[in-house]
Amino acid sequence: MITSPLYAAVSVTSLYILYKPRKHQTIDEGMIAYKGRHKVYRAKQYIPSKPARWGLKVWLRCDSLTGFCHQFDLYLGREQYRGVAVGQAVVEKLTAGLENKNFHIFYESFFTSVSLAKSLLSQKIFTCGTIVRNRKGFPADLKNVPNMIQGDFLIRYDYTFTRCLDDQSFLCNLTATLWMESKLVAVLSIAASPLDRSTNASRRLKDGTVISVSRLESVGLYQQYFRGVDIFDQLRSKYPVGRPSKKWWKYVLHFLINTAIINAYIIMKKSLPSLPKKKYRQLDYRIALAQQLIGKFRTPVKATSRKIVHPTLRSTSFRKYQ
C-alpha cells in the first residue's frame, strides 16, 4: 500500500474538495505505462485492450461528462481485498463519501453484480452497468433466449426496494434488460424506470443508410454516461508528463502530477465566465501553467558565436617520428 503524503493528498483531499461531484459518475480501470519491475509480483498488469498494454493498473472514479478524476486507487494484487470480490470491493471503496446523496454510478461488467447493486442501493447510491449473463442472481430465463432482431428487448424487474429522493419514498426497480444491437447487451440498472424509452440510437448500415434503433432508458443512460474515465484517459494521453526511468514510483508520481494538471484545467474551464481564447485547449493551459511556474527565474540568453580555440602542438611531439 502506498502511504506517500503526496499520494494521499491528491487521491483523497484535493480531488474531492476542489470540485463538487456531480450526479453522474463513472468507475473503470486505467493504466500507468510501465515495463520495469515491482516489488509486488501481481502489481504489473498486461491488458491487450488498453493503449498502454503493460503497466500499473489504477481504478478511477471520474465525472461522467467532464472526465474530472475524483478518486483513484492503485491495484497491488488480489491480496489487498482479503477474500472479497475485487469488483465489489473497488466500487465500495471508490464510492466512500457518496452515501445518502442519490448519486448515479456507471460501470462495466467486471464490477456489476446483483449483490453490489443491492448493497449500494441501501446507501442511496443508484447504479447502472452491463453484466455477464451467467453472473449469480441474474434472471435464469434471460440466460438462454431465442433469436432477436436489432432493437428487440426483454425485461425482468423486481419491486422489492424503496427509493428515496427529495424526502419522498417510492418503489425502486431493480431491472435486468436484454437489448439487441449488433449483439446482445445485458444491463442491470437501478437508475432508470424499466419501461421508459430514451431517444432512439442512430446506426449506419454497410450500404451507408442510417436507421433508428429503439432502446430503453437504462441502455440510453449507460451509453451516455459511461465515458467519464475514457475522457480522462484521453486528456491524460495527449500530453504525458515525466521521463523514462527504471523506478516504478516515478511513474506513479508522473501520474499524480498529470492528474492534478488535468483536473485544474477542467476546473478553470468550468469556473471562469470567459476564457482567454474562444477555443481554449489543454495545450494552451499547459503552456500558461509552465510560464507561471517558471516566472522570472530564468531570463533568455542571447546566442553568441563562440570562437573555437585549438590547442597548439608541441614541436617535440613529432621528433620521434623523424
Side-chain angles (χ1 to χ4, degrees), residues 76-97:
L76 297 177
R78 291 178 176 268
E79 294 78 9
Q80 68 184 117
Y81 302 105
R82 299 178 181 178
V84 183
V86 176
Q88 182 166 345
V90 169
V91 174
E92 290 177 347
K93 184 174 184 178
L94 294 183
T95 54

Side-chain angles (χ1 to χ4, degrees), residues 47-62:
I47 304 179
S49 60
K50 295 292 183 180
R53 298 181 181 181
W54 286 98
L56 303 174
K57 184 190 292 185
V58 58
W59 309 111
L60 301 162
R61 176 169 65 84
C62 299

Side-chain angles (χ1 to χ4, degrees), residues 90-204:
V90 169
V91 174
E92 290 177 347
K93 184 174 184 178
L94 294 183
T95 54
L98 304 182
E99 299 85 356
N100 303 316
K101 296 180 181 178
N102 302 314
F103 280 95
H104 288 206
I105 308 296
F106 298 84
Y107 41 62
E108 63 175 5
S109 58
F110 175 80
F111 307 95
T112 312
S113 67
V114 176
S115 60
L116 175 60
K118 292 180 179 179
S119 174
L120 293 179
L121 182 61
S122 64
Q123 306 171 26
K124 297 182 182 178
I125 299 176
F126 308 107
T127 60
C128 180
T130 56
I131 186 172
V132 181
R133 284 187 287 168
N134 60 2
R135 194 65 56 84
K136 182 179 179 180
F138 193 78
D141 57 337
L142 294 184
K143 295 181 180 180
N144 296 311
V145 296
N147 294 332
M148 301 171 64
I149 62 174
Q150 193 173 34
D152 287 352
F153 57 85
L154 294 173
I155 302 175
R156 299 293 181 269
Y157 50 89
D158 185 11
Y159 292 97
T160 57
F161 308 103
T162 302
R163 180 176 177 181
C164 301
L165 279 176
D166 302 328
D167 298 329
Q168 295 181 358
S169 299
F170 55 93
L171 292 177
C172 178
N173 308 306
L174 176 61
T175 308
T177 304
L178 277 186
W179 181 60
M180 185 64 183
E181 194 180 14
S182 57
K183 61 180 181 180
L184 275 176
V185 179
V187 177
L188 186 71
S189 172
I190 304 182
S193 178
L195 298 178
D196 289 349
R197 302 290 186 93
S198 67
T199 55
N200 293 341
S202 298
R203 297 291 182 265
R204 186 181 298 274

Side-chain angles (χ1 to χ4, degrees), residues 67-83:
F68 185 95
C69 180
H70 286 283
Q71 198 168 356
F72 60 85
D73 185 41
L74 192 64
Y75 177 75
L76 297 177
R78 291 178 176 268
E79 294 78 9
Q80 68 184 117
Y81 302 105
R82 299 178 181 178

